[in-house]
């Protein structure tokens, strides 16, 4: 549509975009908390076959389900206080929907719990988190990632439970911003070279 004069410009712009993505670290350091949560799972032992539950089916919960699914960490369970939102979020990735009451009464064997509810306080007790860690199918305990404000999950004094909260993820995001700034300078050099 742009014609023979401007056509090559668009072609070169796409080429340099791909070059920047492949030859710099610009795209390798996520800064959104959802993407940071996903990146944390990539570092976990047995990352390819984690049994994951998402707690919360609101806007953030649905974003988490989609991001996890797209990254190859498809959740097995979506848990919510009321069932219809959980069903809707679960259907998008083939997960099983559970109410919070069902989850508390008969918790599944899982490796990772990612939580993002709008509850005014903790929704699970420390004892339940320890119990989930003991039943972890991967044998590496429970990794719990809490993206809620205020927090959904309490801190747990047990070696088998790791609780990452939003503050820790924000600190990591700040580190990643600095890394992306350095990568942006490399990207600018590539663009300038292409312009020349």
């Amino acid at each position: 549509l742009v014609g023979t004069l401007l056509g090559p410009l668009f072609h070169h712009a796409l080429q340099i975009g791909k070059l920047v993505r492949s030859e710099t670290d610009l795209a390798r350091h996520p800064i959104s908390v959802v993407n940071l949560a996903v990146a944390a799972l990539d570092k976990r032992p047995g990352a390819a076959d984690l049994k994951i539950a998402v707690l919360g089916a609101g806007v953030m919960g649905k974003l988490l389900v989609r991001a996890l699914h797209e990254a190859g960490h498809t959740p097995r369970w979506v848990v919510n206080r009321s069932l219809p939102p959980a069903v809707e979020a679960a259907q998008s990735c083939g997960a099983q929907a559970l109410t919070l009451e069902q989850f508390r009464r008969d918790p599944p064997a899982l490796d990772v719990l990612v939580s993002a509810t709008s509850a005014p306080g903790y929704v699970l007790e420390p004892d339940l988190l320890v119990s989930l860690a003991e039943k972890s199918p991967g044998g590496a305990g429970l990794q719990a990632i809490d993206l809620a404000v205020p927090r959904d999950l309490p801190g747990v004094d047990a070696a088998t439970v790791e609780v990452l909260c939003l503050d820790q993820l924000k600190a990591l995001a700040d580190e990643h911003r600095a890394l992306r700034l350095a990568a942006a300078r490399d990207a600018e050099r590539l663009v300038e070279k292409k312009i020349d």
Side-chain angles (χ1 to χ4, degrees), residues 151-172:
R151 287 180 58 169
D152 282 336
L153 307 173
V156 178
D157 189 19
T160 55
V161 180
E162 177 191 14
V163 180
L164 280 174
C165 69
L166 205 52
D167 290 338
Q168 291 161 304
L169 290 175
K170 283 182 178 174
L172 187 56

Side-chain angles (χ1 to χ4, degrees), residues 46-190:
D49 191 33
L50 294 172
K51 310 295 186 283
I52 302 169
V54 173
L55 180 54
V59 174
M60 181 65 93
K62 288 176 184 167
L63 276 174
L64 274 168
V65 168
R66 186 172 71 230
L68 288 165
H69 181 62
E70 288 173 358
H73 298 297
T74 302
R76 301 279 178 102
W77 304 274
V78 177
V79 183
N80 199 57
R81 280 175 289 203
S82 58
L83 196 56
V87 168
E88 183 184 338
Q91 284 176 339
S92 69
C93 66
Q96 179 184 353
L98 298 171
T99 65
L100 184 56
E101 186 181 320
Q102 288 172 317
F103 183 84
R104 281 189 178 131
R105 190 173 56 242
D106 186 20
L110 53 91
D111 300 299
V112 176
L113 176 66
V114 187
S115 184
T117 77
S118 58
Y122 297 145
V123 293
L124 298 177
E125 303 74 31
D127 292 348
L128 179 55
L129 297 178
V130 171
S131 172
L132 287 169
E134 290 167 358
K135 296 193 310 184
S136 168
L142 176 71
Q143 182 172 28
I145 302 173
D146 189 346
L147 303 182
V149 178
R151 287 180 58 169
D152 282 336
L153 307 173
V156 178
D157 189 19
T160 55
V161 180
E162 177 191 14
V163 180
L164 280 174
C165 69
L166 205 52
D167 290 338
Q168 291 161 304
L169 290 175
K170 283 182 178 174
L172 187 56
D174 290 340
E175 288 176 32
H176 282 203
R177 272 191 198 91
L179 292 169
R180 282 170 74 126
L181 189 60
R185 288 191 284 272
D186 294 338
E188 285 171 358
R189 280 191 287 275
L190 284 172

Side-chain angles (χ1 to χ4, degrees), residues 8-57:
L9 177 67
F10 283 86
H11 178 72
H12 290 303
L14 289 171
Q15 270 186 333
I16 192 66
K18 289 177 185 175
L19 190 67
V20 163
R21 203 166 166 76
S22 65
E23 293 195 14
T24 72
D25 287 342
L26 198 58
R28 294 186 188 101
H29 302 293
I31 56 172
S32 82
V33 289
V34 170
N35 289 332
L36 285 166
V38 171
L41 300 186
D42 289 333
K43 297 174 185 166
R44 187 175 164 92
D49 191 33
L50 294 172
K51 310 295 186 283
I52 302 169
V54 173
L55 180 54

